[in-house]
Amino acid sequence: TGTALKKLSKPAEKDYQAVYEAIAEKLEEGAENYDDGSFGPVLVRLAWHASGTYDKETGTGGSNGATMRFAPESDHGANAGLKVARDIMESIHKRFPWISYSDLWTLGGVVAIQEMQGPTISWRPGRSDKDVAACSPDGRLPDASKDQRHLRDIFYRMGWNDQEIVALSGAHALGRGHPDRSGYSGPWTFSPTMFTNDFFKLLLDEKWQWKKWNGPEQHEDKKTQSLMMLPTDMALIKDKSFKKWVDIYANDQEKFFEDFGNAFSRLLELGVPFEEGTKPMRFKTLNA
Ligand code: CCH
């Protein structure tokens, strides 16, 4: 029958579009009392933390493998709170058991960016899951308490340049810090469930002061004291080579969307051994 054949044959773009839509429908389901009403930001963070462990010298880490399913990687400090996102992905996997977790988690990031009005992200399937032995060592993801030297150490290790580091950092338009996860508190922008270039605009336009509290050192905007910047975010305007791109992206949302879209797509592919000829897919949003 048709259904039996479908399971045996290689999934096609329409099968991934169906997974896309299932994830998109979950973004706000049951999120009425969660953060700002959407699981989108935490899904973006899962996709990024699954991918950002890549080391270009050894070819280890990256989204291939989905090794954050296992301790120790799930217990790394940087991954605190991502169980929320993995649990949502688990419910999707029950409906589409043919997709690898590593494809699913990266696709989740694509869905979240697009549904929150961000750019279209090209995405390719082909990741396979690995076992616990492939877990990344702790310390590969950035530490928010550090400065520009640390940002370069971490991102150059993955193969990025300064422009791309700034573009990727623009994802902090989304979501917030959670005191029970990272220790940091508050959103970066006034619209944390909408993908915009506001992170860059606010970074330049607001006056930022140290927040007086018992938590980790972070900045707050002087005017409303409701927004935050991490020390690593502030490093983007302290460092000349980074600030150049903050200025550009603050003034040109279209350029930011294009550069972010390309970089995010590549981020999700670091270290992935795609089959030759695997074509990039571009998914339609729910509203399209
Ligand atoms: Fe980030 N990020 N991120 N980040 N991040 C946090 C939250 C989000 C750093 C630290 C933190 C990227 C780069 C960096 C998101 C996407 C990206 C938090 C708060 C910290 C701390 C976590 C919490 O408490 O829940 C540092 C340091 C860097 C260095 O560059 C990049 C790159 C991306 C994606 C492309 C998103 C989205 C969030 C919000 C998560 C949520 O649950 O709201």
Side-chain angles (χ1 to χ4, degrees):
T1 69
T3 45
L5 275 175
K6 192 176 158 197
K7 276 185 197 140
L8 290 172
S9 63
K10 212 171 148 177
E13 182 152 357
K14 66 170 175 22
D15 299 308
Y16 292 103
Q17 177 73 41
V19 181
Y20 177 107
E21 284 164 22
I23 300 170
E25 280 159 7
K26 282 264 178 188
L27 291 184
E28 293 181 4
E29 194 185 296
E32 296 82 8
N33 299 312
Y34 176 80
D35 281 4
D36 305 286
S38 169
F39 295 111
V42 80
L43 290 190
V44 173
R45 193 161 199 243
L46 175 64
W48 141 237
H49 279 205
S51 309
T53 53
Y54 182 63
D55 172 41
K56 68 173 180 182
E57 296 302 328
T58 58
T60 57
S63 66
N64 198 39
T67 45
M68 205 202 298
R69 285 169 298 143
F70 310 111
E73 199 171 330
S74 55
D75 292 338
H76 291 168
N79 292 330
L82 291 179
K83 186 173 186 300
V84 170
R86 292 195 303 271
D87 286 349
I88 293 168
M89 293 289 108
E90 187 62 49
S91 73
I92 302 289
H93 197 263
K94 287 212 164 67
R95 289 178 56 195
F96 304 94
W98 50 266
I99 193 171
S100 68
Y101 284 92
S102 22
D103 273 345
L104 180 62
W105 291 357
T106 53
L107 182 55
V110 170
V111 175
I113 295 285
Q114 292 193 185
E115 294 297 316
M116 293 188 288
Q117 275 120 86
T120 304
I121 313 283
S122 292
W123 179 89
R124 291 189 288 172
R127 297 162 193 76
S128 48
D129 298 332
K130 296 185 190 164
D131 68 22
V132 62
C135 277
S136 287
D138 201 358
R140 288 212 175 164
L141 293 162
D143 173 347
S145 71
K146 299 252 165 79
D147 62 10
Q148 50 269 43
R149 262 174 318 180
H150 173 74
L151 279 182
R152 289 200 171 91
D153 285 344
I154 294 283
F155 281 86
Y156 287 1
R157 188 207 68 226
M158 292 177 238
W160 303 107
N161 64 28
D162 288 356
Q163 173 179 5
E164 292 160 335
I165 294 172
V166 177
L168 287 169
S169 302
H172 282 171
L174 302 169
R176 52 172 60 240
H178 302 79
D180 59 331
R181 297 181 187 175
S182 62
Y184 295 98
S185 180
W188 288 266
T189 66
F190 295 108
S191 52
T193 63
M194 217 200 275
F195 194 84
T196 63
N197 64 343
D198 285 0
F199 169 77
F200 300 115
K201 286 190 184 164
L202 290 160
L203 197 48
L204 293 177
D205 294 348
E206 295 308 312
K207 288 214 158 46
W208 296 95
Q209 61 190 20
W210 289 107
K211 182 180 171 78
K212 290 193 190 71
W213 73 324
N214 290 327
E217 288 189 341
Q218 68 175 66
H219 282 77
E220 65 182 8
D221 68 306
K222 203 170 174 191
K223 212 186 298 161
T224 71
Q225 298 177 14
S226 64
L227 301 179
M228 77 134 168
M229 287 290 166
L230 302 166
T232 42
D233 298 318
M234 297 305 292
L236 301 178
I237 49 171
K238 283 195 198 131
D239 183 279
K240 260 199 185 150
S241 160
F242 285 147
K243 179 164 181 295
K244 176 184 153 193
W245 291 104
V246 173
D247 288 334
I248 290 171
Y249 294 140
N251 286 308
D252 190 344
Q253 162 141 299
E254 212 175 301
K255 168 83 177 145
F256 167 54
F257 271 38
E258 189 185 329
D259 289 354
F260 178 86
N262 290 331
F264 193 69
S265 176
R266 238 178 72 215
L267 172 68
L268 306 182
E269 300 200 342
L270 295 175
V272 181
F274 292 104
E275 251 176 60
E276 214 176 305
T278 308
K279 283 209 216 67
M281 301 179 177
R282 293 168 75 82
F283 299 106
K284 288 192 280 289
T285 59
L286 272 194
N287 286 333

